[in-house]
Amino acid sequence: MDNIISNTPYDDVYRTMFVEDDELVLPLLNEVFGEHYSGRERIVRYSNEHYDLQQGGAEDKRITDGFLEVIGRERKRYHLECESSPDGSIIIRMFRYGSQLALVDSVFDGRKLKISFPRAAVVFLRSNSNTPDKLKIEIGTPGGSVSYDVETLKISGYTIEEIFEKKLYFLIPFYIFNLEKDLKEYETDPIRMEELKRLYVSIDKRLEEFAQKGKLSAYSRQLIKDLSNKVVQNIAVKYEQVRKEIGDIMGGQVLDLEIIR
């Protein structure tokens, strides 16, 4: 293999939650795919590394953001990708990864190869008026055309209240993307800075309250705080005061991610 695809810090945060915390993932699947998972289901995760053969025989390692199977009343497989800077190429990657993931459970009976694509979705951290509400993949074959939908979730479509109401704690580390255009103002205007601090103090308090009431595990609470701080430190790299103030609120005790690894 000659090339390894690099990840953004946001991909790493997304993948950490997706891979390590069932409590955060199932409500996300409920929201994106209209499921009704209770939290008692079993999750099986698959390898997220796949290889593309390039011209000349070289291979590129591709890392998918999230591929898993939920086992409850029935078995369903899901493939979700995180997109921080939409450039139109995500739908191509969804098909490329999806076709490889479909081979995981492929069945060949001697004459017929049967493959099943996983349910697919893209989580858009940034979006605009041109970002579609749903994507579609259509495949032309000698036997006719088939198509399937790729669902989308846009962080910009959720207020912090809706996130807590729907238990979409998975989205909290990325909520700062909704405030990205105001970072310069937060940095230079003390009044706006106080608004930002109050927001993150309220998020921290609600996470603590939910953890105390048993609505959220202490592990998930600390993971959300630590990864929220990581996202802020990266997205506000040019704004020292923003990074310091939010870091003081969401940093606190740093979760030992080495233990997770």
Side-chain angles (χ1 to χ4, degrees):
M1 90 199 89
D2 292 338
N3 301 307
I4 296 178
I5 301 303
S6 60
N7 307 310
T8 71
Y10 314 124
D11 293 327
D12 294 339
V13 167
Y14 179 94
R15 194 173 297 117
T16 297
M17 289 190 291
F18 201 92
V19 170
E20 301 299 340
D21 201 330
D22 296 358
E23 185 178 18
L24 304 183
V25 170
L26 289 174
L28 181 68
L29 298 181
N30 288 343
E31 178 70 8
V32 176
F33 297 102
E35 305 289 8
H36 298 88
Y37 293 127
S38 65
R40 294 188 294 271
E41 296 78 11
R42 184 163 68 93
I43 291 181
V44 178
R45 291 175 173 82
Y46 294 88
S47 171
N48 65 348
E49 294 183 2
H50 302 274
Y51 296 89
D52 286 346
L53 184 64
Q54 305 297 317
Q55 290 183 345
E59 287 184 329
D60 277 353
K61 182 165 76 171
R62 307 282 176 171
I63 301 179
T64 60
D65 286 338
F67 178 41
L68 54 76
E69 181 177 45
V70 178
I71 303 173
R73 294 180 179 177
E74 54 183 316
R75 304 171 72 108
K76 292 184 179 180
R77 294 184 304 148
Y78 300 92
H79 168 213
L80 287 86
E81 293 288 325
C82 170
E83 181 78 343
S84 59
S85 299
D87 60 5
S89 66
I90 184 63
I91 191 64
I92 297 173
R93 299 201 305 276
M94 292 300 294
F95 174 72
R96 178 187 294 138
Y97 301 159
S99 60
Q100 294 183 344
L101 296 171
L103 292 173
V104 171
D105 281 344
S106 62
V107 177
F108 180 61
D109 64 6
R111 292 191 310 163
K112 180 175 67 176
L113 175 66
K114 182 178 180 181
I115 62 173
S116 299
F117 278 75
R119 291 163 174 80
V122 179
V123 176
F124 286 104
L125 305 185
R126 295 185 179 98
S127 57
N128 54 46
S129 59
N130 295 322
T131 306
D133 294 329
K134 192 185 294 282
L135 299 165
K136 183 178 288 289
I137 293 176
E138 183 173 327
I139 307 166
T141 77
S145 295
V146 295
S147 66
Y148 65 93
D149 290 335
V150 176
E151 306 295 338
T152 67
L153 183 149
K154 306 170 190 176
I155 300 292
S156 61
Y158 295 85
T159 65
I160 201 66
E161 287 298 323
E162 290 171 323
I163 287 173
F164 275 99
E165 287 173 5
K166 295 185 175 185
K167 300 180 180 180
L168 294 173
Y169 312 122
F170 194 103
L171 305 184
I172 291 176
F174 302 114
Y175 189 75
I176 190 66
F177 278 89
N178 289 348
L179 312 174
E180 185 177 15
K181 62 180 175 53
D182 296 324
L183 288 177
K184 184 176 181 180
E185 192 171 349
Y186 290 132
E187 181 76 7
T188 58
D189 186 337
I191 296 178
R192 294 302 309 279
M193 176 59 78
E194 285 301 315
E195 293 176 6
L196 183 63
K197 288 167 60 178
R198 283 197 297 271
L199 171 65
Y200 274 90
V201 167
S202 69
I203 291 173
D204 185 31
K205 286 183 176 180
R206 292 185 73 168
L207 290 173
E208 182 180 6
E209 176 186 344
F210 278 37
Q212 289 177 346
K213 292 182 177 179
K215 297 180 180 180
L216 183 70
S217 70
Y219 172 82
S220 293
R221 177 207 171 202
Q222 187 59 51
L223 186 64
I224 292 167
K225 283 168 59 69
D226 185 70
L227 296 179
S228 294
N229 187 38
K230 181 173 181 178
V231 172
V232 170
Q233 297 305 313
N234 279 277
I235 200 172
V237 66
K238 297 180 181 179
Y239 306 103
E240 181 179 357
Q241 194 64 22
V242 170
R243 289 188 287 110
K244 178 185 181 304
E245 296 292 353
I246 303 308
D248 287 345
I249 298 168
M250 302 303 284
Q253 178 186 355
V254 177
L255 184 68
D256 188 355
L257 295 181
E258 184 62 33
I259 293 177
I260 294 178
R261 288 190 287 271

